[in-house]
């Protein structure tokens, strides 16, 4: 299978890539490293990536920014960062990625 792992250069993404790479064609995508680089908050960046790599079997996303801390300690800026990256960014991947994933393919977000 041809699988795109967005966030594939991070801590969790690296483990996912390691598990899948022996049996699948893995395309590693990061913000600054990997086979390709994208900003999941930028729809044009995602569109360009998907156009370049063509049809795929699946997308796995382990990407997104957010500050760690208790809910009560999060500032408005911390919440905005998480919403724009982890929520909106991953929704961008789903909304745009669905057109590149083969029938019976998959999109997994974390």
């Amino acid at each position: 299978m041809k699988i795109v792992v967005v966030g594939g250069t991070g801590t969790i993404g690296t483990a996912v890539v390691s598990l899948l790479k022996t049996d699948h064609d893995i395309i590693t995508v990061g913000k600054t490293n990997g086979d390709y680089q994208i900003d999941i908050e930028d729809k044009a960046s995602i569109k360009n990536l998907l156009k370049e790599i063509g049809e795929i079997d699946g997308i796995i996303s382990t990407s997104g920014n957010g500050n760690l801390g208790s809910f009560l300690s999060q500032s408005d800026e911390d919440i905005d960062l998480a919403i724009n990256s982890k929520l909106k960014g991953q929704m961008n991947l789903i909304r745009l990625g669905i057109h590149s994933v083969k029938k019976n393919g998959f999109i997994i977000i974390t």
Side-chain angles (χ1 to χ4, degrees), residues 3-57:
I3 303 170
V4 174
V5 180
V6 180
T9 60
T11 303
I12 296 170
T14 300
V16 170
V17 168
S18 181
L19 288 170
L20 296 176
K21 70 181 179 182
T22 57
D23 296 322
H24 303 285
D25 178 16
I26 303 299
I27 299 169
T28 305
V29 178
K31 190 164 187 171
T32 58
N33 294 307
D35 301 319
Y36 295 90
Q37 292 78 49
I38 64 167
D39 177 354
I40 63 170
E41 295 179 44
D42 178 5
K43 288 190 224 175
S45 178
I46 297 169
K47 284 180 185 178
N48 290 337
L49 168 73
L50 295 170
K51 183 178 179 182
E52 189 167 338
I53 62 175
E55 193 174 54
I56 52 179
D57 295 291

Side-chain angles (χ1 to χ4, degrees):
M1 296 176 97
K2 184 176 177 183
I3 303 170
V4 174
V5 180
V6 180
T9 60
T11 303
I12 296 170
T14 300
V16 170
V17 168
S18 181
L19 288 170
L20 296 176
K21 70 181 179 182
T22 57
D23 296 322
H24 303 285
D25 178 16
I26 303 299
I27 299 169
T28 305
V29 178
K31 190 164 187 171
T32 58
N33 294 307
D35 301 319
Y36 295 90
Q37 292 78 49
I38 64 167
D39 177 354
I40 63 170
E41 295 179 44
D42 178 5
K43 288 190 224 175
S45 178
I46 297 169
K47 284 180 185 178
N48 290 337
L49 168 73
L50 295 170
K51 183 178 179 182
E52 189 167 338
I53 62 175
E55 193 174 54
I56 52 179
D57 295 291
I59 299 171
I60 299 173
S61 176
T62 62
S63 65
N65 291 321
N67 292 324
L68 298 176
S70 73
F71 179 75
L72 296 175
S73 70
Q74 297 284 309
S75 68
D76 288 344
E77 291 79 16
D78 291 333
I79 299 296
D80 288 344
L81 173 66
I83 287 171
N84 288 330
S85 185
K86 288 297 274 182
L87 179 61
K88 286 183 179 178
Q90 293 205 44
M91 289 301 297
N92 289 339
L93 285 172
I94 294 168
R95 292 172 64 209
L96 298 169
I98 195 74
H99 304 291
S100 294
V101 174
K102 293 178 184 176
K103 184 178 180 180
N104 298 318
F106 60 89
I107 299 176
I108 299 171
I109 62 171
T110 61

